[in-house]
Amino acid sequence: ENIDQSISHFEKAVAADPNYALAWGFLGWARSSVFFWQPISEPATEAAIAAYERALELEPEQSEALAAKAWMTELLQWDWETANDLYRQAMASGENTTAIFAYAMYYLAAIDQLPEAVRLARLVEQRDPLHPAYKNIVAWLLLMSGDGDAAILKFRESLELNPQHFFALGGLI
């Protein structure tokens, strides 16, 4: 529901200002994020790609757009080298929280680099300690790393901030 609301808000933002690179980047990121709970479809893929490509036309180093492109490259093409390059380019940006989060969760975890993924996810959590999703990502990475006790504590911290957090509830179950 939150992703759908985000998409709607970003669509309104880019309709109001078609040159708003940050809104295009977040729109691309939001549209690519739906693939966690919706089937990958050609129209949804095309919409995500169009959004992040528009952001990159306007601002070639736009972090969220680069992170979305990296995620989609990894997801659709299984091109790990290009995805890694895009994530690193996105992380070199000044505002790179989304990029670091994505690199840790989607790339490093996928290539079994869990200690580094946990380290980076903790960095993101420190930047925004009241964000339940960031605590949840740390928890999942800890769980994947084999540290169940630490993961349980992080899932509980996430639920203290949002008692309905679906992924944190799932992690505890």
Side-chain angles (χ1 to χ4, degrees):
E1 182 179 317
N2 289 339
I3 292 291
D4 291 336
Q5 289 174 348
S6 296
I7 290 170
S8 175
H9 292 305
F10 290 126
E11 286 174 340
K12 290 174 185 171
V14 299
D17 181 357
N19 294 320
Y20 190 4
L22 185 60
W24 280 111
F26 273 115
L27 179 58
W29 179 252
R31 284 181 172 166
S32 68
S33 296
V34 302
F35 298 133
F36 284 104
W37 46 85
Q38 294 179 5
I40 296 174
S41 69
E42 192 170 319
T45 301
E46 289 172 0
I49 292 170
Y52 68 65
E53 289 295 347
R54 176 65 178 142
L56 294 172
E57 286 174 19
L58 295 167
E59 189 180 316
E61 299 300 313
Q62 210 282 317
S63 181
E64 289 75 18
L66 287 167
K69 186 172 184 171
W71 165 234
M72 295 294 285
T73 299
E74 184 180 342
L75 182 67
L76 300 174
Q77 300 168 9
W78 292 75
D79 183 346
W80 299 94
E81 186 175 327
T82 300
N84 183 49
D85 293 344
L86 288 165
Y87 281 123
R88 290 189 175 278
Q89 186 180 354
M91 290 187 301
S93 164
E95 174 44 53
N96 58 12
T97 299
T98 300
I100 294 171
F101 154 75
Y103 185 64
M105 186 63 191
Y106 308 138
Y107 185 81
L108 292 175
I111 63 167
D112 202 27
Q113 297 294 315
L114 291 167
E116 179 65 2
V118 169
R119 186 188 73 75
L120 289 174
R122 286 186 186 274
L123 176 77
V124 170
E125 179 192 19
Q126 289 171 0
R127 289 182 179 182
D128 191 352
L130 298 178
H131 198 302
Y134 294 159
K135 291 185 179 304
N136 181 65
I137 295 306
V138 172
W140 277 104
L141 290 169
L142 287 167
L143 187 62
M144 292 165 56
S145 298
D147 192 348
D149 291 337
I152 288 169
L153 293 174
K154 276 298 167 199
F155 284 130
R156 288 184 176 154
E157 286 179 26
S158 180
L159 289 170
E160 286 175 15
L161 295 168
N162 177 358
Q164 305 299 316
H165 198 284
F166 177 79
F167 292 111
L169 289 168
L172 284 176
I173 290 170

